[in-house]
Amino acid sequence: MVPVNDVRGQVSAVRRRGVVDALRRGAVPEQGLDLLATGLDRFTPALDEELETVAGGGSVFKAVRGEYGSGKTFFTRWLAERGKARGFAVCEIQVSENETPLHKLETVYRRLIERLTTAAFPPSALQQVVDGWFYALEEDALADGVAEDALADAVDRLMSARLAEVSRHAPAFAAALRGYRQALEAGDDTSAAAVLAWLGGQPHVSAAARKAAGVRGDLDHFGALGFLQGLLTVLRDTGHAGLVVVLDEVETLQRVRSDARDKALNALRQLIDEVHSGRFPGLYLVITGTPAFYDGPQGVQRLAPLAQRLATDFSTDPRFDNPRAVQIRLPGFTGERLVQLGLKVRDLYAAGAGDPVRIREVADEAYIGDLAKAVGGHLGGKVGVAPRIFLKKLVGDVLDRIDQFEEFDPRIHYQLTVSRNELTDVERNAAAADDIALEL
């Protein structure tokens, strides 16, 4: 374990390497985002309060607002990581017209299950969660004094009692759980896997497996809401605090056909109402979008009831934005925040380098400031879209070379070049030319 400046506690080599490797690829790390968070302290108390509310049996809906490059994906993964540390299961879903259309909630539920993860299990964690639930039911039955030979019936009664409310809306959920357990007890692993796939919303499950479990057809839009309710019950009974679900890039709805867009906006309105009605205890639902999505005619404003539910006043000084509001805006990166982020990354990298002192001395604050300014200059001075490519260059082009070559000095031996083919569409639009060499 190696200490890292400005990072609480100790950071394992595996965790540090995962973060650095992701930055080198130009990607947002899947884990370890607390090591990089800058400027998010103002949100922490309110978000932690909301997570506590959800852990106590409540439910929360949150809309995150920010321009492209403002760090929405980083923010939601950071929030999900905070949730996971508190015992939540988490899931991030990319909304898209072809892969995950928002107006088809059965598809959204299927993606949720495919990406479901917990602190102990990677995606998809459904089987581990369900197996853990049956184990918990058995333990509860035994604790009540049930004999071994009566355990199966006792577990069945407990399962029916725990899922009574869910069964009112989605009786097939409980039936599939029973079918899964029966297949396991019969040693039929193939049928058990098929029933579990059906429980996860997968289409085209064999008719024989569905018949054996007492279920039929495929999951539909309305059934998906009942299945989500059932999943939350199972998660709670297995000791999880709740479920954090992120619907990322919801602004893509603006580019779909008008009929599909209207259906998706209404589905979003329905989800918000269900969350606020208390139907989903243990759910923290987050969406992300650009200001154009929330304020423009092709987004939220197209459906008046949805616009009313998300209405938040952003006309005041951003310093006094309310983190408890239903919609929050990310401030975006400034030059100062970009340098702070660069310093955090440098110190994290140095903690695992062969010569940490040399890393900090050669890539000092002044150099990191110059690099941040140069990258921002290439992107038309739009610092807000610079973090990804800035960190990619800092790690892959500068810190790696300082670590590997004793004579390397970035001020002498490195000239920043940014090619259009390594930029995202947003970054490319901000860039002034195809390939620019900038002096540092």
Side-chain angles (χ1 to χ4, degrees):
M1 304 288 276
V2 183
V4 179
N5 288 357
D6 301 321
V7 177
R8 293 180 185 178
Q10 306 288 310
V11 182
S12 72
V14 172
R15 191 166 181 240
R16 179 178 57 248
R17 187 161 52 246
V19 172
V20 171
D21 287 348
L23 297 178
R24 186 183 289 114
R25 298 192 308 271
V28 176
E30 294 289 340
Q31 299 178 348
L33 298 180
D34 56 308
L35 306 176
L36 306 178
T38 58
L40 300 182
D41 291 346
R42 63 193 305 261
F43 297 109
T44 302
L47 296 178
D48 285 351
E49 286 175 5
E50 291 172 349
L51 288 170
E52 288 300 317
T53 295
V54 175
S59 54
V60 168
F61 171 82
K62 205 77 170 179
V64 178
R65 169 194 187 101
E67 296 287 359
Y68 286 107
S70 62
K72 295 188 295 296
T73 298
F74 182 97
F75 177 87
T76 53
R77 288 185 183 174
W78 169 76
L79 170 60
E81 200 168 76
R82 294 184 73 82
K84 193 182 293 186
R86 287 163 172 75
F88 282 77
V90 304
C91 171
E92 177 187 318
I93 304 169
Q94 301 294 322
V95 175
S96 68
E97 181 179 13
N98 296 324
E99 296 295 324
T100 314
L102 189 54
H103 66 283
K104 294 184 177 180
L105 292 182
E106 66 273 25
T107 304
V108 175
Y109 173 80
R110 183 162 70 244
R111 297 287 178 261
L112 187 161
I113 295 300
E114 290 171 351
R115 293 163 172 74
L116 182 68
T117 183
T118 68
F121 301 106
S124 164
L126 179 63
Q127 180 178 351
Q128 290 82 3
V129 168
V130 170
D131 288 348
W133 187 60
F134 282 118
Y135 177 78
L137 293 181
E138 290 177 356
E139 290 295 299
D140 288 348
L142 292 172
D144 288 339
V146 173
E148 286 284 351
D149 58 355
L151 185 59
D153 290 339
V155 168
D156 194 62
R157 288 194 299 272
L158 275 177
M159 181 171 64
S160 297
R162 302 280 173 87
L163 294 175
E165 180 63 24
V166 177
S167 294
R168 290 178 53 233
H169 302 282
F173 188 88
L177 284 173
R178 289 191 184 92
Y180 173 71
R181 180 164 169 263
Q182 290 167 358
L184 285 180
E185 290 178 340
D188 188 353
D189 292 342
T190 301
S191 293
V195 174
L196 193 66
W198 189 87
L199 191 65
Q202 294 295 332
H204 314 306
V205 173
S206 72
R210 285 187 275 119
K211 183 178 180 180
V215 297
R216 50 181 153 177
D218 292 328
L219 186 64
D220 61 16
H221 177 93
F222 297 103
L225 295 177
F227 275 36
L228 174 58
Q229 198 174 355
L231 175 64
L232 291 168
T233 299
V234 170
L235 285 170
R236 182 183 65 239
D237 284 354
T238 51
H240 293 88
L243 173 64
V244 177
V245 176
V246 177
L247 300 178
D248 201 11
E249 298 183 2
V250 179
E251 68 269 3
T252 58
L253 294 180
Q254 299 172 101
R255 300 192 291 273
V256 306
R257 298 188 325 271
S258 60
D259 58 335
R261 183 189 314 135
D262 291 343
K263 290 177 182 177
L265 292 172
N266 191 58
L268 182 56
R269 191 271 313 159
Q270 180 186 6
L271 275 173
I272 294 172
D273 287 350
E274 295 282 15
V275 168
H276 289 160
S277 74
R279 181 178 177 183
F280 300 121
L283 177 64
Y284 194 121
L285 179 62
V286 186
I287 68 169
T288 72
T290 59
F293 169 71
Y294 293 111
D295 301 337
Q298 302 305 316
V300 168
Q301 300 304 315
R302 190 178 176 92
L303 183 63
L306 179 59
Q308 180 270 322
R309 286 156 176 76
L310 296 181
T312 306
D313 181 13
F314 290 115
S315 63
T316 56
D317 189 324
R319 292 178 301 165
F320 307 117
D321 281 359
N322 180 12
R324 295 173 179 168
V326 66
Q327 185 184 156
I328 57 176
R329 64 176 164 185
L330 300 184
F333 273 87
T334 62
E336 181 181 358
R337 278 191 63 200
L338 199 59
V339 174
Q340 291 174 355
L341 178 59
L343 290 172
K344 282 196 171 189
V345 171
R346 179 205 63 184
D347 287 348
L348 184 67
Y349 187 104
D355 189 346
V357 174
R358 170 172 155 75
I359 294 289
R360 294 189 178 93
E361 288 180 347
V362 178
D364 59 13
E365 183 172 353
Y367 177 78
I368 289 177
D370 288 343
L371 181 64
K373 187 181 299 183
V375 173
H378 172 74
L379 298 177
K382 298 180 179 178
V383 178
V385 299
R388 188 193 73 85
I389 196 68
F390 164 66
L391 295 178
K392 183 175 185 289
K393 296 295 182 181
L394 175 62
V395 172
D397 289 357
V398 176
L399 298 180
D400 277 346
R401 286 172 172 152
I402 296 174
D403 188 37
Q404 296 177 85
F405 305 105
E406 292 184 3
E407 297 180 357
F408 178 76
D409 184 337
R411 292 190 179 278
I412 300 172
H413 305 115
Y414 175 65
Q415 185 178 45
L416 174 68
T417 59
V418 180
S419 173
R420 287 179 68 86
N421 62 17
E422 63 180 321
L423 301 178
T424 65
D425 289 342
V426 174
E427 293 164 347
R428 194 175 297 118
N429 290 336
D434 289 342
D435 294 281
I436 296 180
L438 297 171
E439 297 290 344
L440 286 176

